[in-house]
Amino acid sequence: MTAGETVLGRVRDALALAPQPAVTVERAYRRGRTLPDHERLELFVDRLVDYKAQVRTCTASETAAALADVLAGLGARRIGVPAGLDRSWLSDWDGTVEEDRADVPVPRLEALDAVVTASAVSCVESGTIFLDGSAGQGRRALSLVPDVHLCVVDLSSVAAGVPEALARLVPERPTTLISGPSATSDIELGRVEGVHGPRTLVVIIRTDV
């Protein structure tokens, strides 16, 4: 028997002998909070910019033009998209679009200039965007491996607080939470970006959807 097995065995024995009273978890979260559209937009943009994300607003009819302009500004020529992304969003862009699939090796995603996805829900309070792996968002690797992530967020999907945002999610779906570009600190507390995900996050907020 290994040392690890011995330790885990002792833990199991201790749990079997210990009393197991019923535990009630208090869940008195604030719920049902709302904000007018203009306040949600202003505060959400403020949070995103504070996290060093780039933000652009547009109407639904301007989505293709906004994405094409941003991609051109980034110098992107080859992008990845999830299989269910609305391709009309890319109708104004003339670069190469590669549709991601489960059998595409993850290292191949590193060669993409950027990735474009939709989003499931967002939260004003924390400035967080939630991806749930649905058709327009794709697998987790697609939004984490490329160095640039363009994420389209509909203002109607932006909730005021964390409980309100979580209530809109499907618990069984794989959820990725994004609060700005990937960043961490080295031993001297210097900010290092792009270690655990995209170095650049661009959020396109559609204000009338």
Side-chain angles (χ1 to χ4, degrees), residues 83-116:
L85 189 79
D86 186 342
R87 290 303 185 89
S88 69
W89 293 358
L90 300 172
S91 59
D92 287 1
W93 190 65
D94 60 358
T96 301
V97 179
E98 294 196 5
E99 183 177 296
D100 187 45
R101 304 183 310 276
D103 61 348
V104 173
V106 171
R108 182 174 165 184
L109 300 176
E110 296 180 3
L112 298 172
D113 296 323
V115 57
V116 177

Coordinates of all heavy atoms in Angstrom, one line a residue, residues 83-116:
A83 N -18.6 26.0 -34.3 CA -19.5 25.6 -35.4 C -20.8 26.3 -35.5 O -21.3 26.6 -36.6 CB -19.7 24.1 -35.3
G84 N -21.3 26.8 -34.3 CA -22.6 27.4 -34.3 C -22.6 28.9 -34.4 O -23.7 29.5 -34.2
L85 N -21.5 29.5 -34.6 CA -21.4 31.0 -34.7 C -22.2 31.5 -35.8 O -22.2 30.9 -36.9 CB -20.0 31.5 -34.8 CG -19.9 33.0 -34.6 CD1 -19.9 33.4 -33.1 CD2 -18.5 33.5 -35.2
D86 N -23.0 32.6 -35.7 CA -23.7 33.2 -36.7 C -22.7 33.8 -37.8 O -22.1 34.7 -37.5 CB -24.6 34.3 -36.2 CG -25.5 34.9 -37.2 OD1 -25.3 34.8 -38.4 OD2 -26.5 35.6 -36.8
R87 N -22.6 33.1 -38.9 CA -21.6 33.5 -39.9 C -21.9 34.9 -40.5 O -21.1 35.5 -41.1 CB -21.6 32.5 -41.0 CG -20.9 31.2 -40.6 CD -19.5 31.4 -40.0 NE -18.9 30.1 -39.7 CZ -18.1 29.4 -40.5 NH1 -17.9 29.9 -41.7 NH2 -17.5 28.3 -40.1
S88 N -23.2 35.4 -40.4 CA -23.4 36.7 -40.9 C -22.6 37.8 -40.2 O -22.4 38.9 -40.7 CB -24.9 37.0 -40.8 OG -25.3 37.2 -39.4
W89 N -22.2 37.4 -39.0 CA -21.3 38.4 -38.2 C -20.0 38.6 -38.9 O -19.4 39.7 -38.7 CB -21.1 37.8 -36.8 CG -22.2 37.7 -35.9 CD1 -23.5 38.1 -36.2 CD2 -22.3 37.3 -34.6 NE1 -24.3 37.9 -35.1 CE2 -23.6 37.4 -34.1 CE3 -21.3 36.7 -33.7 CZ2 -23.9 37.0 -32.8 CZ3 -21.6 36.3 -32.4 CH2 -23.0 36.5 -32.0
L90 N -19.6 37.7 -39.8 CA -18.3 37.8 -40.4 C -18.4 38.2 -41.9 O -17.5 38.0 -42.7 CB -17.5 36.5 -40.3 CG -17.2 36.1 -38.8 CD1 -16.6 34.7 -38.8 CD2 -16.3 37.1 -38.1
S91 N -19.6 38.6 -42.3 CA -19.9 38.8 -43.8 C -19.1 40.0 -44.3 O -18.8 40.1 -45.5 CB -21.4 39.1 -44.0 OG -21.8 40.2 -43.2
D92 N -18.6 40.9 -43.5 CA -17.8 42.1 -43.9 C -16.3 41.8 -43.9 O -15.5 42.7 -44.2 CB -18.2 43.3 -43.1 CG -19.5 43.9 -43.4 OD1 -20.2 43.3 -44.3 OD2 -19.9 44.9 -42.8
W93 N -15.9 40.6 -43.4 CA -14.5 40.4 -43.2 C -14.0 39.4 -44.3 O -14.7 38.4 -44.6 CB -14.2 39.8 -41.8 CG -12.8 39.7 -41.5 CD1 -11.9 40.7 -41.3 CD2 -12.1 38.5 -41.3 NE1 -10.7 40.2 -41.0 CE2 -10.7 38.9 -40.9 CE3 -12.4 37.1 -41.3 CZ2 -9.7 37.9 -40.7 CZ3 -11.4 36.2 -41.0 CH2 -10.1 36.6 -40.7
D94 N -12.8 39.6 -44.9 CA -12.4 38.8 -46.0 C -11.2 37.9 -45.7 O -10.5 37.4 -46.6 CB -12.0 39.7 -47.2 CG -10.8 40.7 -46.8 OD1 -10.4 40.7 -45.6 OD2 -10.4 41.4 -47.7
G95 N -11.0 37.6 -44.4 CA -9.9 36.7 -44.0 C -10.3 35.3 -44.0 O -11.4 34.9 -44.5
T96 N -9.5 34.4 -43.6 CA -9.7 33.0 -43.5 C -10.4 32.6 -42.2 O -10.0 33.0 -41.1 CB -8.4 32.2 -43.6 OG1 -7.7 32.5 -44.8 CG2 -8.7 30.7 -43.5
V97 N -11.5 31.9 -42.3 CA -12.3 31.5 -41.2 C -12.2 29.9 -41.0 O -12.5 29.2 -42.0 CB -13.8 31.9 -41.3 CG1 -14.6 31.4 -40.1 CG2 -13.9 33.4 -41.4
E98 N -11.7 29.5 -39.9 CA -11.6 28.0 -39.6 C -12.6 27.6 -38.6 O -12.6 28.2 -37.5 CB -10.2 27.7 -39.2 CG -9.1 27.9 -40.3 CD -7.8 27.2 -40.0 OE1 -7.8 26.4 -39.0 OE2 -6.9 27.3 -40.7
E99 N -13.5 26.7 -38.9 CA -14.5 26.2 -38.0 C -13.9 25.2 -37.1 O -13.3 24.2 -37.5 CB -15.7 25.6 -38.7 CG -16.8 25.2 -37.8 CD -18.0 24.7 -38.6 OE1 -18.6 25.5 -39.4 OE2 -18.3 23.5 -38.5
D100 N -14.0 25.4 -35.8 CA -13.4 24.5 -34.8 C -14.3 23.2 -34.7 O -15.5 23.2 -34.8 CB -13.3 25.1 -33.5 CG -12.5 24.3 -32.5 OD1 -11.5 23.7 -32.8 OD2 -13.0 24.1 -31.3
R101 N -13.6 22.1 -34.4 CA -14.3 20.8 -34.2 C -13.6 20.1 -33.0 O -12.4 20.4 -32.7 CB -14.2 19.9 -35.4 CG -14.8 20.5 -36.7 CD -14.7 19.5 -37.8 NE -13.4 18.9 -37.9 CZ -12.4 19.4 -38.6 NH1 -12.5 20.5 -39.2 NH2 -11.2 18.8 -38.6
A102 N -14.2 19.1 -32.4 CA -13.7 18.4 -31.3 C -12.4 17.7 -31.6 O -11.5 17.5 -30.8 CB -14.7 17.5 -30.7
D103 N -12.3 17.3 -32.9 CA -11.1 16.5 -33.3 C -9.9 17.3 -33.8 O -8.9 16.8 -34.2 CB -11.5 15.5 -34.4 CG -12.0 16.2 -35.7 OD1 -12.3 17.4 -35.7 OD2 -12.1 15.5 -36.7
V104 N -10.1 18.7 -33.8 CA -8.9 19.5 -34.1 C -8.0 19.6 -33.0 O -8.3 19.9 -31.8 CB -9.4 21.0 -34.4 CG1 -8.2 21.9 -34.6 CG2 -10.3 21.0 -35.6
P105 N -6.7 19.2 -33.2 CA -5.7 19.2 -32.1 C -5.6 20.6 -31.5 O -5.5 21.6 -32.2 CB -4.4 18.7 -32.8 CG -4.8 18.1 -34.1 CD -6.1 18.8 -34.5
V106 N -5.5 20.6 -30.2 CA -5.4 21.9 -29.5 C -4.2 22.7 -29.9 O -4.3 23.9 -30.1 CB -5.3 21.7 -27.9 CG1 -5.0 23.0 -27.2 CG2 -6.7 21.1 -27.5
P107 N -3.0 22.1 -30.2 CA -1.8 22.9 -30.6 C -2.1 23.7 -31.9 O -1.5 24.7 -32.2 CB -0.7 21.9 -30.8 CG -1.1 20.8 -29.8 CD -2.6 20.7 -29.9
R108 N -3.0 23.1 -32.7 CA -3.3 23.8 -34.0 C -4.0 25.2 -33.8 O -3.9 26.1 -34.6 CB -4.2 22.9 -34.9 CG -4.6 23.5 -36.2 CD -5.3 22.5 -37.0 NE -6.0 23.0 -38.2 CZ -6.8 22.4 -39.0 NH1 -7.0 21.1 -38.8 NH2 -7.4 23.0 -40.0
L109 N -4.7 25.3 -32.6 CA -5.4 26.5 -32.3 C -4.4 27.7 -32.0 O -4.7 28.8 -32.2 CB -6.3 26.3 -31.1 CG -7.4 25.3 -31.2 CD1 -8.1 25.2 -29.8 CD2 -8.4 25.6 -32.3
E110 N -3.1 27.3 -31.7 CA -2.1 28.3 -31.4 C -1.8 29.1 -32.7 O -1.3 30.3 -32.6 CB -0.9 27.7 -30.9 CG -1.1 27.1 -29.5 CD 0.2 26.4 -29.0 OE1 1.3 26.6 -29.7 OE2 0.2 25.8 -27.9
A111 N -2.1 28.6 -33.9 CA -1.7 29.2 -35.1 C -2.7 30.3 -35.5 O -2.5 31.0 -36.5 CB -1.5 28.2 -36.2
L112 N -3.9 30.3 -34.8 CA -4.9 31.3 -35.2 C -4.5 32.7 -34.7 O -4.0 32.8 -33.6 CB -6.2 30.9 -34.5 CG -6.8 29.5 -35.0 CD1 -8.0 29.2 -34.1 CD2 -7.3 29.6 -36.4
D113 N -4.9 33.7 -35.5 CA -4.6 35.1 -35.1 C -5.6 35.5 -34.0 O -5.3 36.4 -33.2 CB -4.8 36.0 -36.3 CG -3.7 35.7 -37.3 OD1 -2.6 35.4 -36.9 OD2 -4.0 35.8 -38.5
A114 N -6.8 34.9 -34.0 CA -7.9 35.3 -33.1 C -9.0 34.3 -33.1 O -9.1 33.5 -34.0 CB -8.4 36.7 -33.4
V115 N -9.9 34.4 -32.2 CA -11.1 33.6 -32.1 C -12.3 34.5 -31.9 O -12.1 35.5 -31.1 CB -11.0 32.5 -31.0 CG1 -10.8 33.1 -29.7 CG2 -12.3 31.6 -31.0
V116 N -13.4 34.2 -32.5 CA -14.6 35.0 -32.3 C -15.7 34.0 -31.8 O -15.9 33.0 -32.3 CB -15.1 35.6 -33.6 CG1 -16.4 36.3 -33.4 CG2 -14.1 36.5 -34.2

